[in-house]
Amino acid sequence: MSVRVRIAPSPTGSLHVGNARSALFNWLFARHHGGTFILRLDDTDVERSEEHHVVQIQESFRWLGLDWDEGVGVGGPHGTYRQSDRLDRYAEVVDGFLARGIAYRDFRSPDELDELRRAAQAAGGPPRVPSGASGDPVADLARAEAGESFTVRFAVPAEGAVEFDDVVRGPMRFDLANEDDFVLVRSSGMPTYHLASTVDDVDYEITHVARGEDLLASTPKHILITRAMGAEPPTYAHMPLLFGPDGKKLSKRHGDTSVRAFMDAGYLPEAMFNFMCLLGWSYGEDREVFSKEEAVAAFDLDAVGKNTAVFDTTKLDWLNGEYIRALDGTDFVDRVRPMLGDLDPEQERRFEAIASLVQERTKKLPEAADQVGFLFVADDAIEFDEASWRKQMTKDFSRPALEGGLAVLGDLEPWTTEAIDGALRGNLETQGLNARKGLQPLRVALTGSAVSPPLFESMEVLGKDATVARLERALSMVEDPAGD
Ligand code: GLU
């Protein structure tokens, strides 16, 4: 049997990391077993489904490196892979159920149903609403045709249980006495998620349904529908939900958790991929950094743990830094360059000369772009970060540091990192300043900020004239301290 798995997002918003993690695990499982990964759209919520979300969902998957073999955008033997194009098929299944008495039209109002539920609870029995089947489908059809509002419900057997072995959670059992006759078709005529999703899973011959644990309670319904269609249920794997580092379910309070937000923040897709693999699965051997190929070779659904997975962006930042450092130097330059705008040849030279030093120190690419910005600005146009200026340029050591630096750099030959290093360190001793007091003002003068690539190398790359011009300009702007 060849593995067929799917991810079925609803195009009602951005793709969130929870859904992306489900997609990733399905993808890894399919690739590990040489199976088929399918992208289907659960778009029966016509009012909220929008085409730009469809586009953005596909972009997010592509960015993460999750390619799909069948489905939206790539086609396959099952039509458009959009539920909104399959309404006739769902109606056909429901008509079959109605004809066999497996489903019925329910004309009761929501108020009536609430009343019945309360009564069932008050009686101390299972909170199940009694069946609303009239036992007279012909009369029901006449009422429907006369325009009365109704839903179609699945007639859940009064007794027995649905049992299945969940790959992640082990043996599961749901007593049917607790299950309501659930809705298959809403009063609007639209199919519910339970109906559409299950019919698709059957028709697309899905072998494994791996999805978030929040859908566990839906599974007995899906199994009942599947069996009623004369099919064998797929294997289910309900994966742990994502939590924030504060122990609360991942939600808006944890910031924007759309894949798009991580894309826009400049994370490397490889790092995001690696990070998301760790949300419920572990590579083993205590390894946290591994390639896509290694993950495919090692992954299996039965190794997914039951414990909640913590979505910790500190870890993502760390991993991203690891991936940035592991990039080939030209690859790093190529990824940062688009963030820098147009560079003239001299600016390009400066950037390439300093790139490897920045690469060692950045956790995110946009940070790297920020850090090299000083290389592209005219010497008299450096803008000073306010906090850095206050901390380094308004103190009693500020002026002596700049003057001392200028004194030893003005005639320095040759203009190399090593020579600059020697000259400035020698001066620290002469002036009796430590590196923090003696060099930080120079860094601010040169780059505008107290955080920058290494100082001596930056001076070498800028050249003597630019270095001296920047130190002189800053010196002319330093005001004597009011006392500290
Ligand atoms: N559209 C559903 C969701 O995104 C699909 C759930 C499922 O995998 O069955 O939650």
Side-chain angles (χ1 to χ4, degrees):
M1 180 188 70
S2 160
V3 161
R4 288 177 61 80
V5 291
R6 83 315 191 263
I7 185 72
S10 299
T12 52
S14 329
L15 183 75
H16 279 255
V17 289
N19 248 327
R21 194 277 311 258
S22 294
L24 171 65
F25 283 14
N26 277 284
W27 182 89
L28 285 168
F29 183 65
R31 293 293 170 262
H32 179 84
H33 290 283
T36 305
F37 177 57
I38 299 164
L39 171 59
R40 157 185 118 203
L41 288 182
D42 282 9
D43 62 347
T44 53
D45 186 345
V46 276
E47 247 135 62
R48 292 174 55 229
S49 294
E50 288 180 43
E51 204 53 31
H52 70 99
H53 294 312
V54 176
V55 171
Q56 168 274 127
I57 285 168
Q58 297 182 69
E59 269 171 16
S60 297
F61 284 141
R62 284 205 194 92
W63 178 72
L64 277 171
L66 308 182
D67 55 333
W68 54 103
D69 311 297
E70 279 180 35
V72 178
V74 306
H78 297 288
T80 63
Y81 295 82
R82 290 178 188 240
Q83 292 188 332
S84 55
D85 287 329
R86 286 171 48 80
L87 301 180
D88 289 349
R89 170 63 182 145
Y90 308 133
E92 176 184 46
V93 171
V94 168
D95 286 345
F97 286 0
L98 285 169
R100 287 156 57 206
I102 294 172
Y104 60 87
R105 291 188 173 85
D106 187 354
F107 295 91
R108 294 173 295 181
S109 69
D111 286 348
E112 259 177 278
L113 291 164
D114 281 349
E115 191 58 38
L116 287 165
R117 185 181 311 281
R118 272 198 293 276
Q121 271 159 352
R128 184 176 163 159
V129 175
S131 165
S134 69
D136 188 349
V138 179
D140 290 347
L141 181 59
R143 287 174 75 178
E145 282 174 351
E148 261 188 74
S149 171
F150 67 93
T151 60
V152 178
R153 284 180 190 272
F154 190 94
V156 177
E159 288 169 5
V162 169
E163 294 184 69
F164 64 96
D165 255 325
D166 190 283
V167 179
V168 175
R169 305 179 55 86
M172 292 282 132
R173 183 190 156 94
F174 291 85
D175 284 321
L176 294 179
N178 299 325
E179 298 283 330
D180 277 334
D181 288 352
F182 55 90
V183 176
L184 297 171
V185 182
R186 294 179 212 286
S187 54
S188 65
M190 287 304 273
T192 56
Y193 155 66
H194 303 305
L195 175 67
S197 173
T198 309
V199 172
D200 285 0
D201 287 344
V202 171
D203 287 355
Y204 299 175
E205 298 178 274
I206 298 302
T207 57
H208 296 74
V209 169
R211 59 187 175 195
E213 200 182 283
D214 50 329
L215 291 162
L216 185 60
S218 301
T219 299
K221 301 177 182 63
H222 300 181
I223 290 177
L224 288 170
I225 298 174
T226 306
R227 294 220 173 100
M229 289 176 72
E232 265 310 302
T235 301
Y236 289 96
H238 288 92
M239 302 182 277
L241 299 183
L242 305 187
F243 280 67
D246 57 356
K248 304 215 165 97
K249 223 176 111 180
L250 200 65
S251 70
K252 284 205 181 77
R253 103 175 58 131
H254 296 101
D256 189 345
T257 52
S258 67
V259 173
R260 169 108 249 162
F262 292 90
M263 202 193 289
D264 292 346
Y267 286 99
L268 265 51
E270 307 90 306
M272 190 72 183
F273 181 101
N274 189 150
F275 171 66
M276 292 187 55
C277 285
L278 299 171
L279 298 173
W281 179 71
S282 67
Y283 186 86
E285 308 162 21
D286 282 339
R287 267 184 67 188
E288 297 205 291
V289 185
F290 42 80
S291 71
K292 217 168 148 178
E293 292 71 28
E294 287 173 315
V296 166
F299 186 87
D300 225 332
L301 274 177
D302 55 14
V304 174
K306 257 191 275 200
N307 294 342
T308 54
V310 180
F311 192 90
D312 181 0
T313 47
T314 322
K315 183 157 188 178
L316 172 60
D317 288 352
W318 168 75
L319 262 173
N320 204 56
E322 294 288 306
Y323 274 84
I324 287 180
R325 274 187 290 289
L327 288 177
D328 178 72
T330 47
D331 192 0
F332 175 76
V333 164
D334 288 345
R335 293 198 203 210
V336 177
R337 193 185 283 111
M339 301 176 183
L340 302 177
D342 288 335
L343 301 183
D344 65 32
E346 167 58 11
Q347 291 171 326
E348 180 71 30
R349 181 199 66 77
R350 290 179 174 185
F351 169 49
E352 287 184 21
I354 207 104
S356 66
L357 294 169
V358 177
Q359 181 175 1
E360 281 167 30
R361 287 168 175 73
T362 13
K363 290 207 173 102
K364 292 183 204 164
L365 294 180
E367 248 171 50
D370 278 352
Q371 282 201 26
V372 297
F374 74 96
L375 295 173
F376 315 134
V377 182
D379 298 331
D380 59 0
I382 293 281
E383 282 179 28
F384 300 99
D385 166 64
E386 223 185 283
S388 299
W389 184 271
R390 206 175 328 111
K391 209 157 162 219
Q392 306 299 342
M393 302 303 235
T394 60
K395 303 290 164 69
D396 52 7
F397 57 82
S398 308
R399 189 180 286 280
L402 293 169
E403 284 170 348
L406 275 165
V408 295
L409 293 176
D411 303 317
L412 189 67
E413 286 291 344
W415 189 255
T416 60
T417 296
E418 218 181 6
I420 295 167
D421 184 330
L424 288 176
R425 281 189 202 284
N427 180 59
L428 287 183
E429 261 176 52
T430 319
Q431 290 196 294
L433 290 174
N434 62 25
R436 194 177 52 79
K437 290 184 174 173
L439 297 179
Q440 282 298 76
L442 275 61
R443 186 187 300 280
V444 175
L446 205 73
T447 69
S449 164
V451 185
S452 81
L455 181 64
F456 309 142
E457 282 87 347
S458 299
M459 289 182 166
E460 181 189 326
V461 169
L462 277 174
K464 195 194 301 186
D465 291 350
T467 300
V468 168
R470 289 180 187 206
L471 296 182
E472 281 176 344
R473 172 168 175 256
L475 181 59
S476 75
M477 294 164 73
V478 168
E479 285 167 31
D480 286 322
D484 194 59

PDB file of all heavy atoms in Angstrom, residues 439-455 459 471:
ATOM      1  N   LEU A 439      37.485  52.620  23.136  1.00  0.00           N
ATOM      2  CA  LEU A 439      37.165  52.216  21.762  1.00  0.00           C
ATOM      3  C   LEU A 439      35.692  52.416  21.386  1.00  0.00           C
ATOM      4  O   LEU A 439      35.390  52.666  20.218  1.00  0.00           O
ATOM      5  CB  LEU A 439      37.545  50.743  21.529  1.00  0.00           C
ATOM      6  CG  LEU A 439      39.037  50.427  21.659  1.00  0.00           C
ATOM      7  CD1 LEU A 439      39.297  48.934  21.423  1.00  0.00           C
ATOM      8  CD2 LEU A 439      39.887  51.245  20.682  1.00  0.00           C
ATOM      9  N   GLN A 440      34.802  52.337  22.375  1.00  0.00           N
ATOM     10  CA  GLN A 440      33.383  52.460  22.022  1.00  0.00           C
ATOM     11  C   GLN A 440      33.045  53.812  21.380  1.00  0.00           C
ATOM     12  O   GLN A 440      32.278  53.853  20.417  1.00  0.00           O
ATOM     13  CB  GLN A 440      32.475  52.192  23.242  1.00  0.00           C
ATOM     14  CG  GLN A 440      32.292  50.714  23.580  1.00  0.00           C
ATOM     15  CD  GLN A 440      31.629  49.914  22.473  1.00  0.00           C
ATOM     16  OE1 GLN A 440      32.265  49.586  21.471  1.00  0.00           O
ATOM     17  NE2 GLN A 440      30.340  49.616  22.632  1.00  0.00           N
ATOM     18  N   PRO A 441      33.611  54.914  21.870  1.00  0.00           N
ATOM     19  CA  PRO A 441      33.319  56.186  21.187  1.00  0.00           C
ATOM     20  C   PRO A 441      33.761  56.168  19.724  1.00  0.00           C
ATOM     21  O   PRO A 441      33.114  56.754  18.856  1.00  0.00           O
ATOM     22  CB  PRO A 441      34.117  57.211  21.995  1.00  0.00           C
ATOM     23  CG  PRO A 441      34.230  56.603  23.366  1.00  0.00           C
ATOM     24  CD  PRO A 441      34.397  55.140  23.105  1.00  0.00           C
ATOM     25  N   LEU A 442      34.862  55.443  19.446  1.00  0.00           N
ATOM     26  CA  LEU A 442      35.332  55.368  18.061  1.00  0.00           C
ATOM     27  C   LEU A 442      34.340  54.573  17.205  1.00  0.00           C
ATOM     28  O   LEU A 442      34.057  54.912  16.054  1.00  0.00           O
ATOM     29  CB  LEU A 442      36.716  54.701  18.003  1.00  0.00           C
ATOM     30  CG  LEU A 442      37.927  55.621  18.228  1.00  0.00           C
ATOM     31  CD1 LEU A 442      37.883  56.273  19.601  1.00  0.00           C
ATOM     32  CD2 LEU A 442      39.228  54.855  18.051  1.00  0.00           C
ATOM     33  N   ARG A 443      33.817  53.527  17.828  1.00  0.00           N
ATOM     34  CA  ARG A 443      32.842  52.691  17.112  1.00  0.00           C
ATOM     35  C   ARG A 443      31.592  53.512  16.760  1.00  0.00           C
ATOM     36  O   ARG A 443      31.091  53.461  15.631  1.00  0.00           O
ATOM     37  CB  ARG A 443      32.462  51.500  17.996  1.00  0.00           C
ATOM     38  CG  ARG A 443      31.565  50.477  17.303  1.00  0.00           C
ATOM     39  CD  ARG A 443      31.075  49.412  18.284  1.00  0.00           C
ATOM     40  NE  ARG A 443      32.134  48.654  18.914  1.00  0.00           N
ATOM     41  CZ  ARG A 443      32.782  47.640  18.357  1.00  0.00           C
ATOM     42  NH1 ARG A 443      32.479  47.256  17.127  1.00  0.00           N
ATOM     43  NH2 ARG A 443      33.743  46.999  18.998  1.00  0.00           N
ATOM     44  N   VAL A 444      31.121  54.278  17.728  1.00  0.00           N
ATOM     45  CA  VAL A 444      29.930  55.099  17.477  1.00  0.00           C
ATOM     46  C   VAL A 444      30.232  56.142  16.400  1.00  0.00           C
ATOM     47  O   VAL A 444      29.426  56.382  15.500  1.00  0.00           O
ATOM     48  CB  VAL A 444      29.446  55.774  18.786  1.00  0.00           C
ATOM     49  CG1 VAL A 444      28.278  56.725  18.497  1.00  0.00           C
ATOM     50  CG2 VAL A 444      29.027  54.720  19.807  1.00  0.00           C
ATOM     51  N   ALA A 445      31.410  56.729  16.469  1.00  0.00           N
ATOM     52  CA  ALA A 445      31.791  57.750  15.480  1.00  0.00           C
ATOM     53  C   ALA A 445      31.808  57.157  14.067  1.00  0.00           C
ATOM     54  O   ALA A 445      31.381  57.782  13.107  1.00  0.00           O
ATOM     55  CB  ALA A 445      33.169  58.312  15.826  1.00  0.00           C
ATOM     56  N   LEU A 446      32.287  55.928  13.995  1.00  0.00           N
ATOM     57  CA  LEU A 446      32.487  55.297  12.694  1.00  0.00           C
ATOM     58  C   LEU A 446      31.207  54.740  12.095  1.00  0.00           C
ATOM     59  O   LEU A 446      30.959  54.838  10.892  1.00  0.00           O
ATOM     60  CB  LEU A 446      33.484  54.142  12.888  1.00  0.00           C
ATOM     61  CG  LEU A 446      34.291  53.723  11.686  1.00  0.00           C
ATOM     62  CD1 LEU A 446      35.345  54.774  11.397  1.00  0.00           C
ATOM     63  CD2 LEU A 446      34.942  52.368  11.940  1.00  0.00           C
ATOM     64  N   THR A 447      30.390  54.136  12.964  1.00  0.00           N
ATOM     65  CA  THR A 447      29.239  53.372  12.456  1.00  0.00           C
ATOM     66  C   THR A 447      27.889  53.970  12.862  1.00  0.00           C
ATOM     67  O   THR A 447      26.866  53.547  12.350  1.00  0.00           O
ATOM     68  CB  THR A 447      29.278  51.927  12.993  1.00  0.00           C
ATOM     69  OG1 THR A 447      29.015  51.950  14.409  1.00  0.00           O
ATOM     70  CG2 THR A 447      30.631  51.275  12.741  1.00  0.00           C
ATOM     71  N   GLY A 448      27.894  54.876  13.841  1.00  0.00           N
ATOM     72  CA  GLY A 448      26.639  55.452  14.310  1.00  0.00           C
ATOM     73  C   GLY A 448      26.024  54.676  15.460  1.00  0.00           C
ATOM     74  O   GLY A 448      25.058  55.110  16.057  1.00  0.00           O
ATOM     75  N   SER A 449      26.596  53.495  15.756  1.00  0.00           N
ATOM     76  CA  SER A 449      25.986  52.644  16.774  1.00  0.00           C
ATOM     77  C   SER A 449      27.046  51.963  17.635  1.00  0.00           C
ATOM     78  O   SER A 449      28.179  51.761  17.206  1.00  0.00           O
ATOM     79  CB  SER A 449      25.123  51.587  16.089  1.00  0.00           C
ATOM     80  OG  SER A 449      24.818  50.562  16.993  1.00  0.00           O
ATOM     81  N   ALA A 450      26.657  51.604  18.850  1.00  0.00           N
ATOM     82  CA  ALA A 450      27.580  50.895  19.732  1.00  0.00           C
ATOM     83  C   ALA A 450      27.644  49.409  19.402  1.00  0.00           C
ATOM     84  O   ALA A 450      28.451  48.675  19.955  1.00  0.00           O
ATOM     85  CB  ALA A 450      27.173  51.089  21.191  1.00  0.00           C
ATOM     86  N   VAL A 451      26.767  48.963  18.501  1.00  0.00           N
ATOM     87  CA  VAL A 451      26.797  47.563  18.053  1.00  0.00           C
ATOM     88  C   VAL A 451      27.155  47.563  16.574  1.00  0.00           C
ATOM     89  O   VAL A 451      26.460  48.181  15.773  1.00  0.00           O
ATOM     90  CB  VAL A 451      25.416  46.892  18.237  1.00  0.00           C
ATOM     91  CG1 VAL A 451      25.491  45.421  17.881  1.00  0.00           C
ATOM     92  CG2 VAL A 451      24.918  47.099  19.659  1.00  0.00           C
ATOM     93  N   SER A 452      28.233  46.906  16.235  1.00  0.00           N
ATOM     94  CA  SER A 452      28.680  46.959  14.840  1.00  0.00           C
ATOM     95  C   SER A 452      29.592  45.778  14.563  1.00  0.00           C
ATOM     96  O   SER A 452      29.982  45.063  15.476  1.00  0.00           O
ATOM     97  CB  SER A 452      29.443  48.263  14.600  1.00  0.00           C
ATOM     98  OG  SER A 452      30.785  48.133  15.055  1.00  0.00           O
ATOM     99  N   PRO A 453      29.967  45.593  13.319  1.00  0.00           N
ATOM    100  CA  PRO A 453      31.005  44.602  13.022  1.00  0.00           C
ATOM    101  C   PRO A 453      32.304  45.007  13.735  1.00  0.00           C
ATOM    102  O   PRO A 453      32.424  46.146  14.198  1.00  0.00           O
ATOM    103  CB  PRO A 453      31.164  44.685  11.509  1.00  0.00           C
ATOM    104  CG  PRO A 453      29.902  45.302  11.010  1.00  0.00           C
ATOM    105  CD  PRO A 453      29.457  46.231  12.102  1.00  0.00           C
ATOM    106  N   PRO A 454      33.282  44.119  13.811  1.00  0.00           N
ATOM    107  CA  PRO A 454      34.528  44.422  14.522  1.00  0.00           C
ATOM    108  C   PRO A 454      35.132  45.753  14.065  1.00  0.00           C
ATOM    109  O   PRO A 454      35.191  46.048  12.874  1.00  0.00           O
ATOM    110  CB  PRO A 454      35.430  43.251  14.160  1.00  0.00           C
ATOM    111  CG  PRO A 454      34.496  42.148  13.815  1.00  0.00           C
ATOM    112  CD  PRO A 454      33.284  42.786  13.229  1.00  0.00           C
ATOM    113  N   LEU A 455      35.601  46.524  15.043  1.00  0.00           N
ATOM    114  CA  LEU A 455      36.006  47.904  14.790  1.00  0.00           C
ATOM    115  C   LEU A 455      37.221  48.032  13.868  1.00  0.00           C
ATOM    116  O   LEU A 455      37.207  48.810  12.909  1.00  0.00           O
ATOM    117  CB  LEU A 455      36.298  48.574  16.141  1.00  0.00           C
ATOM    118  CG  LEU A 455      36.711  50.034  16.102  1.00  0.00           C
ATOM    119  CD1 LEU A 455      35.583  50.904  15.555  1.00  0.00           C
ATOM    120  CD2 LEU A 455      37.109  50.526  17.501  1.00  0.00           C
ATOM    121  N   MET A 459      37.431  49.726  10.153  1.00  0.00           N
ATOM    122  CA  MET A 459      38.274  50.864   9.769  1.00  0.00           C
ATOM    123  C   MET A 459      39.082  50.546   8.531  1.00  0.00           C
ATOM    124  O   MET A 459      39.209  51.373   7.622  1.00  0.00           O
ATOM    125  CB  MET A 459      39.204  51.222  10.929  1.00  0.00           C
ATOM    126  CG  MET A 459      38.458  51.852  12.095  1.00  0.00           C
ATOM    127  SD  MET A 459      39.591  52.302  13.422  1.00  0.00           S
ATOM    128  CE  MET A 459      38.541  53.373  14.412  1.00  0.00           C
ATOM    129  N   LEU A 471      35.795  60.243  12.466  1.00  0.00           N
ATOM    130  CA  LEU A 471      36.205  60.539  13.844  1.00  0.00           C
ATOM    131  C   LEU A 471      36.199  62.048  14.081  1.00  0.00           C
ATOM    132  O   LEU A 471      35.741  62.526  15.122  1.00  0.00           O
ATOM    133  CB  LEU A 471      37.586  59.961  14.136  1.00  0.00           C
ATOM    134  CG  LEU A 471      37.712  58.424  14.096  1.00  0.00           C
ATOM    135  CD1 LEU A 471      39.143  57.988  14.446  1.00  0.00           C
ATOM    136  CD2 LEU A 471      36.729  57.739  15.034  1.00  0.00           C
TER     137      LEU A 471
END
